[in-house]
């Protein structure tokens, strides 16, 4: 009988722990600011949806004399379709190794479209 209660207790504890520790879904805003790839989160290059300046491909960092302008995302939902934004996010997430899945990309598209 003691073994039965021990097993039952462990089963309940395991079930509670799994549900307690289950990851809560992130919002698009959370993904933009918190999910990090090789060079940081989206907000590293696009602080508050704006631009941090220029990207230096040689040194892989933001710098004043970088070879590529980092575009501002403000108003992008008026200039681009959600499909275009999604395609761009997928390309950037692969290039900079940002760990996002398709559902998170959809949330990110919705958030970025509203900037």
């Amino acid at each position: 009988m003691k073994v039965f209660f021990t097993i039952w207790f462990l089963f309940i504890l395991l079930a509670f722990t799994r549900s307690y520790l289950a990851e809560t879904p992130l919002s698009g805003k959370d993904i933009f600011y918190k999910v990090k790839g090789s060079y940081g989160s989206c907000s590293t290059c696009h602080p508050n949806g704006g631009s941090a300046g220029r990207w230096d491909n040689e040194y892989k960092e933001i710098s004043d004399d970088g070879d590529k302008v980092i575009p501002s995302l403000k108003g992008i939902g008026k200039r681009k379709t959600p499909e275009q934004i999604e395609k761009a996010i997928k390309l950037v997430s692969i290039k900079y190794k940002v760990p996002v899945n398709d559902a998170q990309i959809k949330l990110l598209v919705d958030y970025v479209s509203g900037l």
Side-chain angles (χ1 to χ4, degrees):
M1 197 66 162
K2 193 174 189 181
V3 173
F4 173 77
F5 284 116
T6 303
I7 292 172
W8 182 250
F9 174 76
L10 290 174
F11 176 75
I12 297 296
L13 182 64
L14 178 64
F16 175 75
T17 304
R18 288 178 111 191
S19 65
Y20 181 74
L21 296 177
E23 199 173 310
T24 57
L26 297 173
S27 68
K29 184 176 182 179
D30 289 336
I31 296 165
F32 188 84
Y33 286 99
K34 295 178 183 177
V35 176
K36 295 184 179 188
S38 301
Y39 302 104
S41 67
C42 301
S43 66
T44 301
C45 293
H46 307 280
N48 297 315
S51 174
R54 301 179 73 85
W55 179 255
D56 189 323
N57 275 324
E58 183 179 353
Y59 295 105
K60 303 293 186 215
E61 64 184 16
I62 298 168
S63 69
D64 293 333
D65 59 348
D67 44 347
K68 183 170 181 188
V69 174
I70 299 169
S72 173
L73 300 179
K74 292 184 177 180
I76 196 167
K78 295 176 184 171
R79 299 187 309 268
K80 304 284 184 184
T81 66
E83 292 79 20
Q84 291 171 317
I85 296 170
E86 181 176 344
K87 183 178 178 182
I89 289 172
K90 284 182 178 181
L91 288 172
V92 169
S93 69
I94 291 167
K95 183 175 182 177
Y96 297 112
K97 298 178 178 85
V98 182
V100 289
N101 60 37
D102 289 340
Q104 290 172 323
I105 289 174
K106 296 281 186 198
L107 293 170
L108 195 51
V109 168
D110 290 342
Y111 175 71
V112 169
S113 294
L115 291 174

